[in-house]
Amino acid sequence: MIKKQRLLLPILDIITLGIWGILLIQYWITGELQLLIHPNYFALVLGTGILLLVLAVLKAIQVIGQLPPRNPKTMPMMQHISWFPPGWSTGLLLATAILGLLVEPKVFTSQTAIQRGVMESLTTTRTQPQSFRSASKPEARSLIEWIRTLSVYPEPDEYAGQAVNVKGFVVYPQNLSSNYLLVTRFVITCCAADAYPVSLPVKLPESRNAYKPDTWIQVKGEMMTETLQDKRQLVIDASEIETVPEPDNPYYY
């Protein structure tokens, strides 16, 4: 039993290294990596996946070279004290990798945006204005460019009357009337764990019930200033709202 265990544990290590390598490379090939981390780290993830596969091969060669002869001499076994069964941590890593192969990464939803403080992003932004170059025409600005513009010069009246044409998914704002919704995108600075939402309020001529949460929309109109929740906010006065497909890459970086 002990001999089998001594052989199975290295095999488990080999399988775990191989599966993790395959998982990271698969994320890169399928493009799912963009849902998990910033593009700056794509090369690092791909290199790590290749390295894990190489380590799995080297480990397999090592194990094959250490296979005992058919009639080995009996060797004394050292007894180790452990709180957990041998191989439990490797098994946990293997189960996680297999789960990653089976479960497709999902785009964050409106509920996640609410949980991560989407309303706070209307007045506070965590973007980096020093690396920002805005489009020359207001109607050419994306949602993140509007947020960064406000971060540089947060005076909403300055933008009143400017044309706007942005795309994002629908979030129902809390504590606002039913003729408002938020057009929202997530921004990833490092990985999905630190992704945060940015939004602009949209004033509708009718109830927002025609636009369900998580629906992707393109909003056209002009900017105006309103007081929402006792704060002066830049609001899109919508003249046209069109339902659009979810983009291949739903995040900003």
Side-chain angles (χ1 to χ4, degrees):
M1 181 66 181
I2 294 178
K3 293 179 181 178
K4 290 183 178 180
Q5 187 181 77
R6 293 180 63 189
L7 181 60
L8 288 176
L9 291 181
I11 293 176
L12 185 63
D13 291 339
I14 294 169
I15 295 173
T16 301
L17 288 170
I19 294 295
W20 268 104
I22 292 171
L23 175 64
L24 296 181
I25 294 173
Q26 175 181 286
Y27 279 155
W28 179 77
I29 292 174
T30 60
E32 293 175 335
L33 202 55
Q34 67 185 5
L35 302 180
L36 301 173
I37 64 171
H38 194 285
N40 288 346
Y41 305 104
F42 283 6
L44 178 62
V45 172
L46 177 61
T48 301
I50 294 173
L51 178 61
L52 290 175
L53 289 180
V54 172
L55 291 176
V57 172
L58 294 177
K59 182 70 173 180
I61 295 173
Q62 181 186 38
V63 170
I64 293 173
Q66 292 179 349
L67 287 176
R70 293 185 178 180
N71 298 310
K73 295 181 180 180
T74 303
M75 299 294 292
M77 296 294 297
M78 296 294 293
Q79 297 295 324
H80 299 278
I81 299 175
S82 176
W83 291 103
F84 302 100
W88 76 273
S89 57
T90 305
L92 181 60
L93 288 173
L94 177 59
T96 304
I98 293 174
L99 187 63
L101 289 172
L102 297 177
V103 179
E104 182 180 351
K106 300 295 184 183
V107 178
F108 287 135
T109 65
S110 59
Q111 187 60 39
T112 307
I114 293 172
Q115 292 172 351
R116 298 196 179 189
V118 67
M119 288 300 294
E120 296 174 2
S121 71
L122 302 182
T123 54
T124 304
T125 178
R126 285 167 282 181
T127 55
Q128 300 295 327
Q130 64 268 25
S131 61
F132 160 64
R133 294 181 180 179
S134 176
S136 57
K137 296 182 179 180
E139 62 270 22
R141 292 174 187 156
S142 64
L143 179 60
I144 189 63
E145 287 176 321
W146 274 107
I147 297 299
R148 287 171 175 165
T149 300
L150 282 169
S151 177
V152 174
Y153 190 68
E155 175 47 60
D157 288 337
E158 182 69 21
Y159 311 100
Q162 292 188 7
V164 58
N165 182 1
V166 296
K167 184 185 300 182
F169 64 91
V170 174
V171 175
Y172 282 1
Q174 297 175 327
N175 304 321
L176 291 182
S177 62
S178 61
N179 63 323
Y180 288 91
L181 58 78
L182 300 180
V183 57
T184 307
R185 296 286 288 266
F186 273 96
V187 180
I188 292 181
T189 55
C190 179
C191 64
D194 62 25
Y196 61 91
V198 293
S199 299
L200 283 174
V202 179
K203 187 174 183 180
L204 307 172
E206 68 279 331
S207 173
R208 63 194 178 197
N209 293 336
Y211 311 99
K212 301 300 181 184
D214 301 318
T215 302
W216 280 81
I217 57 174
Q218 185 164 359
V219 182
K220 297 180 181 180
E222 65 177 33
M223 289 300 190
M224 59 183 294
T225 302
E226 286 200 350
T227 300
L228 304 177
Q229 296 182 334
D230 299 325
K231 296 179 182 178
R232 292 172 60 252
Q233 304 284 351
L234 192 63
V235 176
I236 301 175
D237 186 13
S239 59
E240 180 182 345
I241 299 180
E242 179 184 1
T243 302
V244 296
E246 179 182 300
D248 293 334
N249 186 359
Y251 297 139
Y252 287 132
Y253 303 102

